[in-house]
Amino acid sequence: VIVAGTVPHQVANAQLTPAQQQALQSMATTGFTNHQPVTVGGQNFDIKYSIKEGQVVAIVPAPPTTSVDVIIASTQFAKSTGVFTMQIPRHLLDSKNPDGTDKPFHLTLDGHGLAWKQLSSTNTDRTIGIYFGGSNGFLQIYGTVIA
């Protein structure tokens, strides 16, 4: 399933405000409300996430592109924004520099760049947060290593 849509220019190029960053952090620290099991190469992973003003249709690891693809269905009108946080297990997807230090993930929403924030990082996972518009639907999270 592929969902096509457009990202308003102001959403794709927006910087997260301090209030938005705080809202993402708060959403991640209060605990995740959903989880999605995925399997890659015979390994099972449990991806935890929370979403407001939308629902996750699918989370699909894509080894050929070293990405995890998320299909989001907004429950609001195109002028509203939704909030999505996701805990990514490092054994599923990670992004590293050649020296082994963390490298930021590369995220696209419907093929465009977007403002996002890494909310936490541990030895076992990394948590990210984004805002999405009512017409958005296809989030891709690119790393350098996938299971």
Side-chain angles (χ1 to χ4, degrees):
V1 174
I2 297 177
V3 176
T6 60
V7 178
H9 181 72
Q10 65 273 21
V11 173
N13 295 316
Q15 296 295 318
L16 295 176
T17 66
Q20 289 174 319
Q21 291 182 33
Q22 179 62 31
L24 288 173
Q25 191 67 52
S26 175
M27 195 167 157
T29 56
T30 57
F32 295 96
T33 57
N34 301 287
H35 70 96
Q36 175 75 43
V38 298
T39 302
V40 180
Q43 295 182 52
N44 297 317
F45 300 94
D46 191 46
I47 299 177
K48 297 175 183 175
Y49 68 93
S50 292
I51 190 166
K52 290 183 181 177
E53 309 302 343
Q55 67 181 29
V56 172
V57 176
I59 299 175
V60 182
T65 58
T66 318
S67 69
V68 171
D69 303 338
V70 183
I71 299 171
I72 297 171
S74 175
T75 58
Q76 296 298 312
F77 299 106
K79 293 183 180 182
S80 298
T81 56
V83 183
F84 176 69
T85 59
M86 181 170 137
Q87 186 179 65
I88 305 167
R90 286 184 183 266
H91 291 305
L92 170 61
L93 181 72
D94 208 352
S95 188
K96 295 286 189 183
N97 290 307
D99 66 1
T101 58
D102 280 352
K103 178 180 181 178
F105 288 115
H106 174 73
L107 277 70
T108 62
L109 188 58
D110 295 329
H112 302 279
L114 74 150
W116 65 280
K117 181 167 179 56
Q118 179 167 301
L119 302 169
S120 68
S121 176
T122 69
N123 291 336
T124 59
D125 56 66
R126 294 168 77 171
T127 301
I128 62 165
I130 70 159
Y131 279 81
F132 61 91
S135 62
N136 300 138
F138 190 59
L139 173 67
Q140 292 182 285
I141 306 160
Y142 295 94
T144 58
V145 180
I146 194 165

